[in-house]
Amino acid sequence: MKKSKQEVTIPCVAVYHRKKDDIFFLYLHCKEKQLPETLDGWQLLQSEKSDAEAALKRVTHILQCDLHTISPLGLLFDRTKQCLFAIDSAIETEKMLCLSPCSNQSSVLIKPEILLKKFQPIVERKILVK
């Protein structure tokens, strides 16, 4: 059996937090992307900043994952809809994405169009493309 070589992209997930209503948003992007620290009232959570520690603990609890395994797949566990999700438009053109299933034991390969068209109704929230 021939093995096909697929171009696989391992995207990054940035977590933004809006303190006034304690809501998070996950932003799936390419590693090369420079992210703003604030975005329309949202604050980028960075693990090296001590003031982000409590919020990062909350989001990992909501998504049932460890900090290094934060993934859009964790939205399946977000029953209270405290996390929104956005995807960088550059990700849409990738052939295949490698995502963490909220565990460092394995990975999931998924096409971007499946993530956008089939995953969105399952997690019952709109996926923004930025």
Side-chain angles (χ1 to χ4, degrees), residues 83-100:
C83 295
L84 306 174
F85 180 47
I87 185 170
D88 188 282
S89 59
I91 296 283
E92 285 186 295
T93 61
E94 298 296 330
K95 292 187 183 343
M96 189 71 69
L97 302 176
C98 180
L99 300 176
S100 166

Side-chain angles (χ1 to χ4, degrees), residues 37-51:
E37 286 198 26
T38 58
L39 185 64
D40 299 328
W42 297 84
Q43 179 69 42
L44 177 63
L45 296 178
Q46 299 173 17
S47 57
E48 62 274 3
K49 293 190 175 180
S50 61
D51 60 337

